[in-house]
Amino acid sequence: MENDDPVPEEEARMIEELTTKAESNLREGNHYYVISNRWFMDWQRYIGKPLHAYPFNEHAQPSLLPNSATRPGPIDNSDIIVDNGSDDLQLLRTLEEGRDYVLVPQQVWEKLSEWYEGGPALPRKMISVGDANQLSVEMFPLCLNLFDTRDKSHKVIRLSKKASLHELYSIVCRLKGIAAEKARIWDYFDKKKQTELVASNQTLENSNLQMDQDILLEVHAEGSLPSGFGIDSTGNDLALVPVEPPRSSVTIAGGPTLSNGFSAGYSSIAYQGSSLNSTYGDMDDGCDSLRPTSKGERGGLAGLSNLGNTCFMNSALQCLVHTPPLAEYFLQDYTEEINRQNPLGMHGELALAFGELLRKLWSSGRAPVAPRAFKGKLGRFAPQFSGYNQHDSQELLAFLLDGLHEDLNRVKQKPYFETKDSDGRADEEVANELWRYHRARNDSVIVDICQGQYKSTLVCPDCNKVSITFDPFMYLSLPLPSTVTRTMIVTVFYSDGSGLPMPYTVNVLKHGYIKDLTQALESACCLRIDEYLLLAEVYDHRIFRYFENPTEILNSVKDDEHIVAYRLLKRVAQLTRLEICHRYQEKCVRDSSKASERKLFLTPLVTFLEDPRNGADIDFAVHKVLAPLRRKAFISSAPGLKDGAENGSPSETIEEPMNSCTIQFGCEGQSIEGIEPAGNSSVELAFHFCLTDERGTTCRPVAKDTVIQPVRMLKVMLDWTEKEYELYDASYLKDLPEVHKSGLTVKKTKQEAISLFSCLEAFLKEEPLGPDDMWYCPRCKEHRQASKKLDLWRLPDILVFHLKRFSYSRWLKNKLDTFVNFPIHNLDLSKYVKSKDTSDSHVYELYAISNHYGGLGGGHYTAYCKLIDDDRWYHFDDSHVSPVAESDIKTSAAYVLFYRRVKAQQNGVVGGSSQCHRHS
């Protein structure tokens, strides 16, 4: 480390200050820099804590990282850039923030670069996205392939999606050395002329240009038109009608718009054949998007082009456009129901975009459709789906269903209702009342066919107050209960010094929670009723994190980690926690010029202090917790140490370090860095220890009369001398077992399988609310961890099940590939519906599935959809569509299931009605 480089604590403080300052001054145009997470984590370990304040580092882990004495080398971003041998540095497209990289403000980058050098520098600009102008860092600028018609050459151009068409013309003309008035640039998506890109202030994003797509340059003499103008290689002249520069913007339906974005007179103007053209493209089929139409022959078999990681969108869209009542609705004239004034909607533009796309997919033919205009609208109204990252098809479905509802809400002025408590009234009365209130404010085709109602019962654990509500739902998110177990080894320590540490082997559900591990350990170690277990992960002889959230998923614990549990009396839970780490003094034998230093070793211990006042109280607590390790030679009533005990570690002598450095035990008065010299009052204590901070970077020696302030937690470093090694058997604190040691010949287990009914029952079962989701009890006037029970009350015609395959925690993202066995026909939910109203059938049949294959970050979405009229299933994999046997649609990739109600038999015909209807 250079002499002018700050120490770790100073680095952390300076970077925190710069980050906070940058966060308070967020604005469009700010520069952020990309840093490899591999290097950044090394630096965080060096300073002893992560900086979680970065506004764009959502996955940063806010717990303390173990401090490392090793200063990282130069900044190294080589693992996140494409090695293409050129100076044009590009990021890998598969990068994920928090996992592969972090974003730091320009001032932070400059400071880190000053201290560490290295690189390369990877600056990125902050832009505003969507109509709400949300700020976001543009990680991947738009990449366009420029084709020159003169020499058939091509060149890659990269610029921000917020750049204007004027800027595009300027770059192209400068690159090609031509005058702007001689250039014509075409949207050349899918190697076809789509629309001329007229030089204007319109952004590339609003021109529906996609990542990696082609644009075409034509150069002609001034005043002349290029050969072939008005017709492309396919003979399609619809897209080549000269287009005037837009006065403001043009809606997705192609009609002229007013300055506020509302289309003027949809129902009267509609589409005037092909005489109106949108600069947004995607309107190249020449069909009237608003007049009533019908399904074309063999319609519904068109795929959707992948525009760059848009398989999630294509999968969700195919499931929706193959929802029979939705298809029938949008193939009719629905314009009178468009709600342009709804502040919760998108001025009707989302509904028009979806309707236009649905009509294309249901028109005759199988040519893939490129949903560019729809994606553009989606990015405007839901910036979280803009760009080219992979997203979640269920999250998109939730947004689309809600957005379509608001755009098509027939209620223009929503009435106000004051909801009343049930107060012992009959469930039917309360449910019907709340449903009427809901329908009076929400009335659309989405509510008609997709919304149901469930009953929610909350019970206060203190006063037994029962609260019953009835809430609408659009889909049901079902957990996947696991039956596969996992073997875990956890070492249990007695925090009161009443016994030796003991490793226990327990079996828990593989996809369970920390509370499941805790319960298994409580049973294994015969925990008393007045005790509880405090679980923690030990890393590098420090406590890396405590597991104090019982709902944290067990998948956050890796097999190679070291987990411990401390037995504590319940009555001490609110007292001062004392965390004890151990150090020894190391002296390098081969290089006598090097000064000896203190090194961490052994397993940390945890105990509690009752009203600590001075150093003597800490000394007594340390003496007590170490008591079981006292050697027999020095204590007549030592605890029985059983060599080779079934669940214990055998007693053994201390091993010498396996390098050239050996443990150097100094005399009690030896002076070391951070410790007062000989002669201070610390010799009155039985142990040498010092108070330290959370990162372990400071050390304040503790004497008998050192005043201890009342705090929630104290951390001390216990310095072992030769005397401690003679008195105590430290082997019990060494060599913690890993959570699970995988054998070389592990027998492959059969794939886990559960039923859809098991998932539904897990969703409906009674369970306590999480600590972060407390309920305010109106009787206690306090937030309580109430128990909650859900019941189905009213089912919709279209019932959507979301299987919760993805789990997220502070530490881990995980996907469950559990096979869920779901019915294709005759899904009978009668026994789960608590309403006594039997007017509607509770039997359903499957018609669509959104599938997810692969893991997180690199997965792929497809869809299985049934053409009801043909009674045949098809596989929709982006632009590729192929028939699939019904027997093959059940896979472990099933993610979102779409069912439609099977109507009761009427006039000898069984099946769904052909028209949407409203619930009363």
Side-chain angles (χ1 to χ4, degrees), residues 808-860:
Y808 304 90
S809 74
R810 175 189 299 176
W811 306 97
L812 185 74
K813 295 179 180 180
N814 184 54
K815 185 198 172 187
L816 307 179
D817 286 315
T818 306
F819 177 80
V820 178
N821 188 12
F822 49 87
I824 298 175
H825 303 284
N826 299 318
L827 170 63
D828 191 351
L829 300 175
S830 301
K831 72 174 185 176
Y832 301 104
V833 180
K834 298 304 179 183
S835 171
K836 297 177 182 177
D837 184 1
T838 58
S839 58
D840 281 328
S841 167
H842 298 147
V843 179
Y844 289 80
E845 69 171 1
L846 188 74
Y847 70 88
I849 308 171
S850 175
N851 300 305
H852 181 272
Y853 297 91
L856 290 163
H860 180 62

Side-chain angles (χ1 to χ4, degrees), residues 66-108:
N67 179 264
S68 170
T70 305
R71 182 178 173 84
I75 298 171
D76 182 7
N77 286 331
S78 60
D79 63 316
I80 60 174
I81 58 176
V82 179
D83 185 12
N84 53 14
S86 71
D87 295 331
D88 185 16
L89 298 176
Q90 298 302 314
L91 293 171
L92 293 167
R93 293 280 182 89
T94 57
L95 298 182
E96 182 181 341
E97 186 177 357
R99 182 193 68 185
D100 304 303
Y101 70 90
V102 294
L103 288 165
V104 300
Q106 181 174 349
Q107 301 91 324
V108 171

Side-chain angles (χ1 to χ4, degrees), residues 212-282:
D212 299 324
Q213 82 153 75
D214 301 329
I215 55 175
L216 186 69
L217 171 66
E218 292 180 336
V219 182
H220 55 90
E222 190 172 357
S224 67
L225 293 176
S227 62
F229 175 69
I231 187 167
D232 67 4
S233 59
T234 65
N236 176 13
D237 62 347
L238 292 176
L240 304 183
V241 177
V243 180
E244 296 180 4
R247 287 185 293 272
S248 56
S249 61
V250 182
T251 67
I252 197 72
T257 61
L258 307 176
S259 59
N260 61 2
F262 298 154
S263 178
Y266 286 104
S267 57
S268 58
I269 296 179
Y271 235 23
Q272 300 177 17
S274 60
S275 62
L276 293 177
N277 285 270
S278 167
T279 59
Y280 289 86
D282 205 40

Side-chain angles (χ1 to χ4, degrees), residues 559-789:
D559 281 350
D560 60 353
E561 292 174 352
H562 303 278
I563 305 301
V564 297
Y566 300 102
R567 295 179 69 144
L568 298 158
L569 292 173
K570 291 179 179 178
R571 66 177 181 82
V572 304
Q574 302 305 317
L575 302 180
T576 298
R577 183 185 298 175
L578 178 65
E579 188 178 301
I580 307 161
C581 289
H582 310 271
R583 298 192 304 184
Y584 66 89
Q585 187 171 327
E586 183 179 66
K587 181 179 179 180
C588 288
V589 181
R590 291 182 180 174
D591 189 354
S592 58
S593 63
K594 289 186 178 180
S596 59
E597 59 178 332
R598 295 282 175 175
K599 293 284 189 179
L600 286 173
F601 77 139
L602 305 181
T603 304
L605 298 173
V606 170
T607 187
F608 277 82
L609 301 173
E610 191 164 358
D611 191 24
R613 299 178 183 274
N614 51 45
D617 294 328
I618 298 179
D619 189 67
F620 176 77
V622 174
H623 186 278
K624 184 177 180 181
V625 77
L626 287 177
L629 310 183
R630 190 96 170 179
R631 293 185 186 274
K632 291 181 180 180
F634 297 95
I635 185 169
S636 58
S637 58
L641 306 183
K642 296 182 180 180
D643 290 347
E646 181 180 350
N647 267 323
S649 301
S651 178
E652 59 186 11
T653 59
I654 283 296
E655 299 174 1
E656 290 293 323
M658 300 186 68
N659 53 28
S660 61
C661 294
T662 59
I663 297 174
Q664 175 70 26
F665 300 110
C667 63
E668 295 182 2
Q670 184 176 0
S671 176
I672 63 172
E673 183 181 356
I675 302 294
E676 296 178 11
N680 64 47
S681 56
S682 66
V683 297
E684 301 175 22
L685 299 177
F687 301 97
H688 290 272
F689 53 84
C690 60
L691 287 172
T692 185
D693 60 8
E694 289 185 344
R695 299 192 300 273
T697 55
T698 63
C699 197
R700 183 166 62 93
V702 176
K704 182 176 182 180
D705 55 356
T706 300
V707 177
I708 303 299
Q709 300 295 332
V711 290
R712 186 73 183 87
M713 176 183 289
L714 282 174
K715 294 193 176 187
V716 298
M717 292 288 185
L718 172 59
D719 291 316
W720 283 62
T721 67
E722 194 171 291
K723 181 185 73 172
E724 276 73 48
Y725 261 95
E726 291 176 355
L727 290 175
Y728 298 99
D729 186 352
S731 64
Y732 285 97
L733 302 181
K734 289 184 61 182
D735 304 325
L736 281 176
E738 294 181 356
V739 166
H740 182 72
K741 198 74 173 177
S742 300
L744 297 177
T745 56
V746 179
K747 188 176 180 181
K748 189 172 181 180
T749 58
K750 189 177 180 181
Q751 184 186 32
E752 181 182 11
I754 55 176
S755 73
L756 181 65
F757 296 105
S758 298
C759 300
L760 183 58
E761 287 161 4
F763 172 74
L764 298 175
K765 76 175 182 179
E766 182 177 355
E767 60 182 2
L769 297 174
D772 299 327
D773 190 24
M774 306 283 271
W775 171 63
Y776 183 79
C777 176
R779 183 181 295 167
C780 296
K781 308 298 184 186
E782 296 283 348
H783 284 90
R784 303 295 190 196
Q785 195 169 357
S787 62
K788 184 175 184 178
K789 174 74 171 72

